[in-house]
Amino acid sequence: MDAVWAALQESSFAAFVRNSTFVYPIANITHVVAVIAFFGIVATMDLRLLRIFEGTPARVIIARMRPVALILLLIIAVAGFVLFSAEAVALARNTAFRIKLAAIALALLNIGVNERTLRIYGDDNRLVRFTAGVSLLVWLFIAAMGRTIAYV
Amino acid sequence: MFAPGFAEAHHGWGSYDATKPITIIAAIEEVSLGNPHGMVMLTHEGRKWEVTLAPLSRMRVRGATAELVAAGKQLTAYGYPKRDGTSEMRAEWIEVDGKRIELR
């Protein structure tokens, strides 16, 4: 796998990211700001499922907000890839980065379980609430691991 | 394409010991002005040192162009060495051709 990361890092795209004055900082700012927006939307859905607030039915909130969350997730991933490419070899070896990727896999799996359970049993369900809670914690953990990359 | 150390140099400021500032004066052997931050390699007291600089945008704004910070030129770097003893420093400022560039 190391060869793949080395090839990415030595690609002309990665060289462009390193050598451009603005691409890297813009990707960095986009990544972080999109994470904030993403978490706000995710937290709204999860807190509704956890019944921290009620009123608008959960399915209505989720139907409106999940597509936005997915678009933001895509923006986060693209900006993240730009940042990753600039120093792929070191990042692929970075413990915090590896934990972050594993946690993202868990978070995506958790979305799948939450989605499916919600569709089958509705929002008055233990597993739905459990996965909503997991979602809140895991996304915050992912953000924390992202910041930890620079310190390990 | 670039020094092996280049990609490893991404870490927090806490890993540098600000209580033990050092000054290195040597010829620039390798230079990379890029993101997430630039670096130069030079030899100091028989060891190869990596000097970590600022991100490219800040370097540009402060006049640290590729023409100024170029291989072969004499560079003075004042900054803080890594706590773990590896020959790497985070530069507080550098001076080339009589021009001092603050990096913080």
Side-chain angles (χ1 to χ4, degrees):
Chain A
M1 224 32 199
D2 270 5
V4 177
W5 308 135
L8 173 62
Q9 181 169 311
E10 280 155 39
S11 68
S12 52
F13 172 74
F16 169 69
V17 173
R18 279 191 298 273
N19 299 330
S20 155
T21 309
F22 298 112
V23 170
Y24 191 93
I26 287 170
N28 206 342
I29 292 162
T30 303
H31 191 68
V32 172
V33 172
V35 164
I36 293 167
F38 173 77
F39 187 75
I41 288 172
V42 165
T44 306
M45 293 189 287
D46 291 339
L47 292 173
R48 176 64 186 85
L49 290 174
L50 287 165
R51 310 221 170 152
I52 300 298
F53 61 91
E54 291 180 71
T56 311
R59 63 184 158 76
V60 174
I61 290 178
I62 290 169
R64 288 186 189 167
M65 294 189 122
R66 192 163 267 165
V68 183
L70 291 175
I71 289 166
L72 285 166
L73 196 56
L74 185 69
I75 292 169
I76 294 166
V78 170
F81 178 78
V82 171
L83 300 174
F84 175 73
S85 71
E87 43 178 1
V89 174
L91 281 171
R93 274 196 225 121
N94 184 290
T95 308
F97 183 76
R98 288 171 169 222
I99 294 172
K100 179 183 177 181
L101 284 194
I104 290 170
L106 176 67
L108 294 177
L109 191 70
N110 186 64
I111 291 176
V113 175
N114 179 272
E115 231 284 303
R116 186 152 295 205
T117 319
L118 191 58
R119 205 177 334 132
I120 297 170
Y121 302 106
D123 63 302
D124 188 13
N125 177 276
R126 244 171 214 223
L127 189 55
V128 167
R129 284 195 289 276
F130 175 74
T131 48
V134 167
S135 166
L136 280 175
L137 295 177
V138 173
W139 287 115
L140 286 177
F141 175 75
I142 290 164
M145 280 302 107
R147 253 336 6 229
T148 306
I149 291 167
Y151 302 95
V152 295
Chain B
M1 212 171 107
F2 35 76
F6 170 63
E8 317 295 339
H10 196 203
H11 27 54
W13 281 11
S15 62
Y16 301 94
D17 192 349
T19 64
K20 295 191 182 70
I22 55 167
T23 305
I24 291 178
I25 304 172
I28 299 172
E29 288 165 24
E30 279 176 67
V31 57
S32 156
L33 300 183
N35 288 301
H37 41 62
M39 71 99 202
V40 296
M41 299 293 290
L42 33 74
T43 304
H44 172 66
E45 290 174 354
R47 286 169 86 195
K48 192 113 166 158
W49 276 77
E50 177 178 338
V51 179
T52 297
L53 308 174
L56 187 54
S57 53
R58 185 183 298 167
M59 299 287 286
R60 286 259 164 96
V61 166
R62 306 209 177 158
T65 58
E67 291 74 40
L68 184 72
V69 186
K73 285 198 186 182
Q74 181 93 346
L75 174 112
T76 304
Y78 171 88
Y80 316 113
K82 284 283 297 251
R83 286 179 198 278
D84 65 6
T86 50
S87 52
E88 190 205 317
M89 73 181 278
R90 174 173 74 80
E92 179 76 38
W93 55 259
I94 56 169
E95 203 172 283
V96 191
D97 291 349
K99 186 176 163 69
R100 181 176 292 196
I101 292 144
E102 297 285 344
L103 299 176
R104 204 199 277 265

